[in-house]
Amino acid sequence: MAAQQLTLSLEAGKILKQLSTGLLSLYKGSNQELVHSSLNKLCVRLVFCWFSDCAGLFAGKNRFSDYLASLPTSCWRWALQSLFIALDTPASQRDQDELPEVLAFPFVGGDLFRDADQDLIPQFSEELRDFILAQAEGKFAWDAISPTYFGAIFESTLNPDTRRSGGMHYTSPDNIHKLIDPLFLDELQDELNTIFALKIGKARTAKLRAFQDKLARLKFLDPACGSGNFLTEAYLCLRRLENQVIRELYAHQAFLGIIELSPVKVSLEQFAGIEINGFAVAVAKAALWIAEGQMLKETSSIIEQQLKLFPLKTYDNVVVGNALTKPWNEVVPLEQLSYIMGNPPYSGARTMSPANKHDLQQALGPDWPTNRGDLDLVSGWFKKAHDAMAQEAHIKTAFVATNSICQGTAICNLWEPLLKSGSEIIFAHRSFVWNSEASDQANVYCVIVGFANQACDFKPSKLIFDGTTVTQAAHINAYLLAAEDAFVRERSKPLSPVPEGSMGNQPLDGGYYLFTPEEKDAFLQDEPLAAPLFKRWLGGKELLQGSVRYCLYLGNCTMDELANMPEVLKRVEAVRKYRLARSSQNTVKLAATPLRFQRTNVPSCTYLALPKNSSGRRSYLPIAFLEPEVLCSDSVKLFPHATLYHFSVLSSSVHMIWISIVSGRIKMDYCYSTELVYNTFPWPQKINSTLKAQLAAAGQAILDARTPDATLAQLYDPAQMPSELRLAHAANDRLVMQAYGFDPSWSEDQIFTTLYLMYLQLINTD
């Protein structure tokens, strides 16, 4: 059934795309804001009418399509507006001079058709008339689409730029269940199964009724509800549970023979949402009404009594608003709230707009103790949920977020204040690839974090989901490990007496000092005296993939020395003009010294170099020894005076475990930070000279095992790694484990936990 609904829903998306494109081309108004608002409302209303037509909710099948088909195209604009007004008007209040075909429609209500007389409807073309009638005449099963998919389908018709700027991405039902199942649904289903296992009798019946009452008391808030996917799926799941109860209590009984009396207690009023996009709110409400209609149909088949959907009830619990500045208890009183859930918008600390930054500051409050400037926008939702749960400890929360929320600096900047002031993680999905049913899918890696106040009554055993593996944990820390809380903070110097590292050079030259081999050769033909000024240039890409570039390095030159090199001087002048044209005043100042890089880092000795960004697929970090004649960009980390011993430890699986947990990431790729990863890394503390020499030899064995004609990217690709190199690394790993005193059987979590304890000891004695 799910696969069929998905297929239907995706096909519906194509229909809606054609519909919205066709309608937009017919609008003549110059007020584009009103045009798009009217277009969106018209699309929602047409789909709801198609759904109602298919479901027979308009007092018979195809009443809507028959009404349109009976009228010439030239009348459609008037006919739709008349119908929409009637659908929003009780029968007793309608203009009785209206067409009988219009008066025959039931009162729908629910504000879905409110103010229809103020919205623009274009004159229809014959082509669009044929298209609309084809969808409405039963050729497409609108009553069978999934209302959970409905929102993603509709929002896929929005302008993609609008969606991206709002940080909106749409959640598939599979991903929704990753969140709602451990948050509440699994527990409710287990409770119902326990009741079903009881002996049939009065006690069992009483428990079923009490369980149904419990379902009807639960209240949910999605404070970034978008088009209502989470709310809709949660409603469907609660109603399915309720229908199981109703089936046990009323199946095959004449339900009192009273058509107005319904056994249904779960209502849409229990599901609240806040969303900044007004169109998305309209879609969310329509999706919830469609879900209500589908579940009433299911209940009707159980009790063998027709239940009415119309008139729709008007709910004020899904509202337009800014969830970071709007008090959530204005939407649903916190004392009544059971669960907070959803997929808040994300925007990076360096990419969010000034308005986003202001909203985040509002949510965090004036007394936020850590660096708010490094926090993603989604952090505001975590903080507001934390505050709500601190006020009402019975509430539980779960959010989808990009995996950056549980990595890097977010651990100390977000989670340390939250966890130390009362919150506790109760379940988590580690990084997984995002997927959705939107036509423009977001290519991101996400986590799901469920958390609650420590005073909340939650199960002592917590769950960590990692792909298909589920692990029980006594405690989950902010790195989503089954371990005690850990907070690794950036440092300016290494914890241990090891070589200091830093990033490479930042030319800020507009590319005028950088050359491909061909460009270098051509340049030297015109300027042969410049040959000694060229140095090999490695960025992260060149270091890993072996590609060749050169840099015209003038840092040790004077203008007098370059006087006889006119082509070089042209480059110098181009760099000066480039810097003068920049908006940053600091960059403009650098125009006075165009021979120099913005940042210069030229080691005077052999040094270790490693890429700032490295694939998360690699088992080991690719590291190379380089000579001082080679210059590196700021996408490479440099470690002068490093020895084979240092190379051995940095090339180990122990170091990779520290990287994989402590570092930030781009998607699943590691972002190696000197301050956060290298300077905090606890090195072996008690190591004798013999073992140190053995580690140096193991490091040399790794270098010797590297095939000279292969790039680092090829050598450290898990699918291509030579067996000799793999064996050399395994031998090195055993020695490094020995140097730390680690048991060879330890898991990665055990190794990290022990490293973290070492880290704590070292910072306390620093």
Side-chain angles (χ1 to χ4, degrees):
M1 183 63 179
Q4 181 184 359
Q5 281 191 320
L6 173 58
T7 301
L8 281 170
S9 300
L10 293 176
E11 184 61 31
K14 297 177 184 177
I15 293 171
L16 283 170
K17 189 69 175 178
Q18 287 181 260
L19 175 67
S20 62
T21 302
L23 285 169
L24 182 59
S25 68
L26 299 176
Y27 276 96
K28 305 300 183 186
S30 59
N31 184 337
Q32 289 303 300
E33 183 177 349
L34 179 59
V35 165
H36 282 282
S37 172
S38 298
L39 170 65
N40 292 337
K41 288 181 184 179
L42 181 55
C43 287
V44 172
R45 289 165 176 169
L46 285 172
V47 169
F48 189 83
C49 287
W50 289 339
F51 163 77
S52 300
D53 232 14
C54 286
L57 298 176
F58 284 152
K61 272 186 172 281
N62 297 331
R63 182 179 290 274
F64 175 64
S65 60
D66 290 346
Y67 168 67
L68 291 180
S70 68
L71 298 169
T73 308
S74 59
C75 294
W76 270 34
R77 181 173 179 272
W78 161 83
L80 283 173
Q81 192 164 61
S82 297
L83 176 61
F84 293 164
I85 292 171
L87 293 175
D88 193 52
T89 307
S92 61
Q93 300 175 24
R94 291 178 181 175
D95 181 356
Q96 296 305 306
D97 290 329
E98 186 58 84
L99 288 176
E101 292 87 347
V102 172
L103 296 175
F105 279 85
F107 169 49
V108 170
D111 292 340
L112 179 60
F113 298 94
R114 186 178 59 186
D115 299 329
D117 57 332
Q118 299 177 25
D119 298 316
L120 303 178
I121 298 179
Q123 292 287 356
F124 284 79
S125 65
E126 293 295 333
E127 181 182 9
L128 193 58
R129 169 200 172 96
D130 294 342
F131 175 78
I132 289 174
L133 288 178
Q135 314 317 317
E137 289 175 343
K139 294 183 180 179
F140 188 84
W142 287 98
D143 58 336
I145 65 169
S146 164
T148 304
Y149 290 116
F150 179 83
I153 292 166
F154 251 97
E155 291 204 49
S156 68
T157 67
L158 284 175
N159 184 309
D161 292 335
T162 303
R163 292 172 49 220
R164 294 296 185 201
S165 66
M168 296 183 289
H169 295 294
Y170 316 121
T171 317
S172 70
D174 285 346
N175 283 343
I176 292 172
H177 277 275
K178 285 185 174 112
L179 186 149
I180 67 174
D181 287 2
L183 181 62
F184 64 87
L185 192 58
D186 286 343
E187 189 174 345
L188 290 173
Q189 186 64 67
D190 288 345
E191 183 178 349
L192 183 56
N193 290 343
T194 300
I195 298 172
F196 282 156
L198 298 174
K199 183 179 179 181
I200 295 175
K202 290 183 179 179
R204 182 175 183 269
T205 298
K207 286 185 178 293
L208 285 171
R209 295 189 187 281
F211 179 76
Q212 186 182 15
D213 290 338
K214 175 182 177 178
L215 294 181
R217 288 193 302 272
L218 297 176
K219 290 210 170 182
F220 302 80
L221 172 66
D222 183 345
C225 68
S227 51
N229 305 60
F230 276 93
L231 297 175
T232 303
E233 188 67 18
Y235 170 78
L236 289 169
C237 290
L238 243 64
R239 283 287 286 111
R240 288 177 187 131
L241 287 174
E242 184 178 36
N243 275 345
Q244 291 182 58
V245 174
I246 291 171
R247 183 174 286 104
E248 289 294 308
L249 294 176
Y250 304 111
H252 310 302
Q253 299 179 28
F255 188 66
L256 302 181
I258 304 174
I259 224 168
E260 288 78 11
L261 189 60
S262 170
V264 176
K265 295 184 178 181
V266 173
S267 76
L268 295 182
E269 192 174 14
Q270 298 169 237
F271 299 84
I274 306 171
E275 169 55 39
I276 203 165
N277 184 299
F279 172 56
V281 169
V283 173
K285 289 182 176 181
L288 284 164
W289 280 319
I290 289 174
E292 184 180 28
Q294 290 180 342
M295 296 315 300
L296 282 175
K297 182 178 180 181
E298 185 178 303
T299 306
S300 296
S301 67
I302 292 170
I303 66 171
E304 300 177 5
Q305 184 71 264
Q306 186 64 40
L307 299 175
K308 292 181 178 180
L309 175 64
F310 298 151
L312 301 171
K313 294 180 181 177
T314 301
Y315 297 116
D316 297 323
N317 48 325
V318 181
V319 301
V320 179
N322 183 337
L324 289 185
T325 57
K326 185 179 183 64
W328 293 358
N329 62 356
E330 290 182 1
V331 182
V332 53
L334 295 183
E335 65 271 16
Q336 299 177 17
L337 185 58
S338 308
Y339 301 101
I340 301 169
M341 61 187 182
N343 172 23
Y346 64 86
S347 184
R350 305 292 178 267
T351 59
M352 71 176 79
S353 68
N356 287 156
K357 291 178 182 178
H358 174 267
D359 293 345
L360 179 58
Q361 301 242 0
Q362 290 276 97
L364 295 175
D367 301 323
W368 189 251
T370 63
N371 183 8
R372 66 184 69 208
D374 270 351
L375 289 175
D376 291 352
L377 181 64
V378 73
S379 303
W381 274 263
F382 280 84
K383 172 59 164 55
K384 291 200 70 169
H386 166 88
D387 291 345
M389 295 186 296
Q391 185 174 333
E392 295 291 341
H394 65 277
I395 302 170
K396 297 177 185 177
T397 298
F399 286 138
V400 180
T402 55
N403 58 6
S404 61
I405 203 74
C406 291
Q407 297 169 359
T409 57
I411 301 301
C412 290
N413 290 334
L414 173 66
W415 283 107
E416 187 173 13
L418 296 186
L419 297 180
K420 287 186 174 180
S421 58
S423 280
E424 184 166 351
I425 297 174
I426 56 176
F427 73 88
H429 278 268
R430 290 177 176 169
S431 293
F432 61 94
V433 180
W434 183 261
N435 58 74
S436 78
E437 269 56 61
S439 61
D440 179 16
Q441 290 197 23
N443 184 24
V444 293
Y445 287 80
C446 292
V447 294
I448 295 173
V449 183
F451 61 116
N453 189 277
Q454 292 169 3
C456 183
D457 181 21
F458 50 77
K459 293 181 179 179
S461 180
K462 301 167 179 65
L463 299 177
I464 299 174
F465 300 85
D466 194 351
T468 57
T469 302
V470 184
T471 304
Q472 290 192 342
H475 186 81
I476 302 174
N477 67 24
Y479 294 104
L480 308 187
L481 299 175
E484 292 306 306
D485 288 333
F487 308 105
V488 179
R489 194 176 299 280
E490 291 178 311
R491 293 175 53 86
S492 59
K493 300 286 184 181
L495 269 176
S496 303
V498 294
E500 292 188 22
S502 58
M503 67 179 180
N505 299 274
Q506 292 178 303
L508 197 61
D509 65 334
Y512 292 108
Y513 289 151
L514 300 180
F515 295 76
T516 66
E518 295 77 15
E519 290 169 343
K520 173 196 167 191
D521 291 343
F523 185 84
L524 289 177
Q525 284 183 358
D526 297 328
E527 194 71 277
L529 293 177
L533 303 178
F534 277 94
K535 290 183 178 289
R536 180 78 182 271
W537 178 263
L538 296 181
K541 180 180 178 181
E542 289 80 13
L543 178 64
L544 289 169
Q545 299 180 5
S547 52
V548 178
R549 278 204 298 172
Y550 292 93
C551 176
L552 184 64
Y553 179 62
L554 309 177
N556 297 325
C557 299
T558 66
M559 293 298 288
D560 289 340
E561 291 172 323
L562 301 178
N564 295 323
M565 302 182 196
E567 294 302 319
V568 173
L569 290 176
K570 288 179 183 177
R571 296 278 173 156
V572 173
E573 179 61 14
V575 171
R576 189 186 71 83
K577 290 181 177 178
Y578 170 78
R579 292 177 178 178
L580 280 174
R582 309 301 289 177
S583 58
S584 168
Q585 287 304 306
N586 289 333
T587 303
V588 171
K589 290 178 183 178
L590 290 173
T593 54
L595 300 183
R596 298 186 178 276
F597 292 165
Q598 175 182 260
R599 171 188 170 82
T600 302
N601 186 358
V602 182
S604 60
C605 61
T606 300
Y607 60 96
L608 278 183
L610 60 86
K612 176 184 175 182
N613 298 318
S614 179
S615 170
R617 295 176 57 245
R618 296 184 179 121
S619 302
Y620 301 98
L621 191 65
I623 308 174
F625 277 104
L626 298 177
E627 297 301 321
E629 289 75 21
V630 179
L631 300 185
C632 291
S633 79
D634 59 351
S635 61
V636 177
K637 301 294 183 179
L638 314 184
F639 301 88
H641 307 292
T643 66
L644 282 167
Y645 161 69
H646 300 117
F647 174 81
S648 166
V649 176
L650 293 177
S651 298
S652 70
S653 60
V654 172
H655 185 226
M656 279 302 295
I657 289 169
W658 188 258
I659 294 170
S660 67
I661 294 170
V662 172
S663 76
R665 298 198 187 196
I666 297 176
K667 297 182 180 179
M668 291 300 287
D669 293 345
Y670 303 120
C671 290
Y672 197 97
S673 163
T674 308
E675 294 75 19
L676 183 61
V677 180
Y678 181 81
N679 289 348
T680 62
F681 179 60
W683 289 70
Q685 296 302 296
K686 296 178 180 179
I687 179 170
N688 59 48
S689 58
T690 300
L691 183 52
K692 198 168 188 177
Q694 290 175 327
L695 286 165
Q700 184 62 56
I702 290 172
L703 293 172
D704 294 341
R706 292 177 176 176
T707 309
D709 58 349
T711 67
L712 284 176
Q714 292 167 337
L715 289 169
Y716 286 91
D717 184 328
Q720 301 183 55
M721 192 174 190
S723 58
E724 185 179 350
L725 180 58
R726 197 182 299 276
L727 290 171
H729 269 286
N732 183 66
D733 286 343
R734 289 191 291 270
L735 284 171
V736 173
M737 291 283 283
Q738 181 183 338
Y740 279 99
F742 293 167
D743 190 299
S745 65
W746 278 5
S747 67
E748 292 186 4
D749 286 5
Q750 288 174 300
I751 291 172
F752 174 77
T753 299
T754 308
L755 286 173
Y756 181 69
L757 292 174
M758 293 174 61
Y759 163 81
L760 290 178
Q761 291 173 351
L762 289 168
I763 61 172
N764 288 332
T765 57
D766 189 21

